[in-house]
Amino acid sequence: LGETAGASQPWTWRISAAVAGALIAALVAAMAIRLTGSAWWSAFAGILLAVEGTSLVEGRTGILDTFLTLFVVAGAAAALMDRDDESPRRFRRWRLVAAVCFGLATGVKFSGAIFLVLYVLLAIAWDVRRRPHSVLQSLVSAGRTAATIAIPALAAYALTWTGWFLSPDGHDRNVSTNVLVSWVRNQADMLSLGGAITSAHHWSAGPWAWLIQWRPTMFYVVTAPCEGTTGTCSQTITSLGTVPIWWVGIVALVGLGWLLARHRDRDAAFILAFFAAGYLPWWFLTNRTIYAFYTVTIAPFVILAIVLCLYRLQRSQAHRRVLAQPAALLLLAAAIAWLWLYWPVYIGIPIPQGESARLLFWEGWQ
């Protein structure tokens, strides 16, 4: 859609990613108001996502992961609505929306399928809780639930291949006389290729380094003489996340684990499940070349973890209650200050090399 305004202009093929990034912030705010019932906490969540470094950079860059995140978060928001819908009707509209969103996420990158599988498991658990049955009835119900999600998700995924089906020039379009056989082979080849990317890369980073922002991805760097003055300037774009958000987020994730273990908090379980789906599978793919900018998909759930922990603190004992909103405001101030400080290396403003070195002082950031 953006390229209809002129494919040769960089902003036209990046504007869609910027719109997607803004929609992600809006969806995070919507999920926060659903979880807390508070416009204050909703605004806090949306602003925190909007100023988070990795999300900002990827929303301006135009790579696939922002679109993956959009459909994952949209699917999670619809899943949250489905979870809270206690009506006995058979047609569940939010379930359909969630299934379509996760199908579209898989159409962007195969890692979206992990969230689809997670949602199937969650929906089965929710249905069993709503209507307890015998073991046989539960198995039948689980099969029906899985089918009602998988079928529209597969249809949505196939829809993303419309151009391939309609064009005779699609990659591997004619490896078989049967177009469906060609399509299935194409999917298998892509899946095999994705797992075979193992070449060394200077900016690769394992999942152990993601949450602490040990090794962000350098998207762009140019060194040249400074305009109008003497000396050398650097022009840099890095996916470095907002460290105050991510480090507080680690504490919040531990807090959600405590809420789940101690109080069986279903909101904590929901956020942790989606965070785990976006983070834990990469621990089993450490031989593959992977990068820290994949954290854009889990950033919304880290922020929701912060929001839920502070909200639960606000609703706890009186002597703790007064700490919640001041802590939120302090974190928000730190995040905005971080954004102001690191703005040049997020959007590629030429700055003297010495200033760039001071900002990217950590060895893993260079």
Side-chain angles (χ1 to χ4, degrees):
L1 289 175
E3 288 180 2
T4 60
S8 61
Q9 300 297 319
W11 73 267
T12 64
W13 47 264
R14 285 182 173 153
I15 188 66
S16 56
V19 171
L23 290 174
I24 293 166
L27 285 166
V28 168
M31 292 178 70
I33 204 169
R34 184 73 183 183
L35 290 166
T36 66
S38 166
W40 196 97
W41 289 109
S42 171
F44 170 69
I47 295 172
L48 213 58
L49 192 283
V51 302
E52 196 280 311
T54 302
S55 303
L56 171 72
V57 169
E58 295 202 39
R60 299 183 71 254
T61 304
I63 59 177
L64 290 175
D65 295 80
T66 293
F67 302 102
L68 170 66
T69 304
L70 172 63
F71 291 121
V72 166
V73 174
L80 185 60
M81 298 294 289
D82 177 47
R83 186 201 69 174
D84 294 344
D85 182 2
E86 299 290 345
S87 62
R89 61 175 178 267
R90 287 188 175 275
F91 175 71
R92 306 185 66 83
R93 56 178 181 170
W94 289 112
R95 180 162 297 180
L96 175 62
V97 172
V100 169
C101 287
F102 291 129
L104 295 175
T106 308
V108 177
K109 294 182 80 171
F110 276 150
S111 53
I114 300 171
F115 296 94
L116 175 61
V117 172
L118 168 67
Y119 179 52
V120 169
L121 296 176
L122 289 175
I124 290 173
W126 296 336
D127 286 350
V128 169
R129 180 182 61 82
R130 289 189 192 100
R131 295 183 295 274
H133 297 300
S134 66
V135 174
L136 179 59
Q137 289 174 321
S138 296
L139 289 174
V140 172
S141 175
R144 183 168 57 245
T145 299
T148 59
I149 295 172
I151 292 172
L154 180 60
Y157 176 79
L159 185 65
T160 67
W161 286 82
T162 300
W164 186 92
F165 281 112
L166 296 180
S167 170
D169 301 320
H171 181 68
D172 284 347
R173 176 71 164 68
N174 299 311
V175 296
S176 171
T177 55
N178 186 318
V179 65
L180 289 177
V181 172
S182 296
W183 184 62
V184 172
R185 287 184 180 178
N186 185 294
Q187 310 304 297
D189 288 345
M190 284 196 306
L191 188 60
S192 175
L193 176 63
I197 301 174
T198 57
S199 57
H201 194 285
H202 181 66
W203 291 102
S204 63
W208 65 269
W210 291 2
L211 300 184
I212 59 175
Q213 298 299 312
W214 183 277
R215 187 66 171 166
T217 311
M218 187 69 75
F219 284 178
Y220 178 77
V221 59
V222 169
T223 302
C226 299
E227 291 186 10
T229 61
T230 60
T232 304
C233 283
S234 291
Q235 191 176 7
T236 301
I237 299 176
T238 177
S239 72
L240 175 64
T242 301
V243 169
I245 293 177
W246 285 95
W247 285 18
V248 171
I250 294 171
V251 177
L253 290 167
V254 174
L256 290 195
W258 182 85
L259 285 172
L260 179 60
R262 181 71 180 272
H263 302 288
R264 297 186 178 181
D265 190 304
R266 66 174 190 163
D267 292 335
F270 182 88
I271 295 171
L272 284 173
F274 277 93
F275 166 80
Y279 180 61
L280 294 184
W282 296 105
W283 285 88
F284 300 95
L285 296 170
T286 52
N287 291 329
R288 186 187 186 277
T289 309
I290 55 180
Y291 304 92
F293 68 79
Y294 296 169
T295 54
V296 70
T297 308
I298 61 175
F301 302 106
V302 171
I303 288 171
L304 287 173
I306 295 172
V307 171
L308 187 64
C309 274
L310 289 175
Y311 175 69
R312 290 287 187 265
L313 180 65
Q314 186 184 47
R315 291 173 58 86
S316 65
Q317 298 175 5
H319 69 283
R320 300 176 184 172
R321 190 175 306 163
V322 296
L323 299 175
Q325 289 192 349
L329 290 173
L330 182 62
L331 175 59
L332 189 58
I336 293 173
W338 180 281
L339 178 64
W340 176 81
L341 183 64
Y342 279 83
W343 185 255
V345 297
Y346 282 150
I347 70 169
I349 296 176
I351 56 176
Q353 264 194 319
E355 183 179 345
S356 177
R358 282 192 296 273
L359 289 174
L360 303 175
F361 63 90
W362 191 259
E363 182 181 357
W365 300 353
Q366 303 167 2

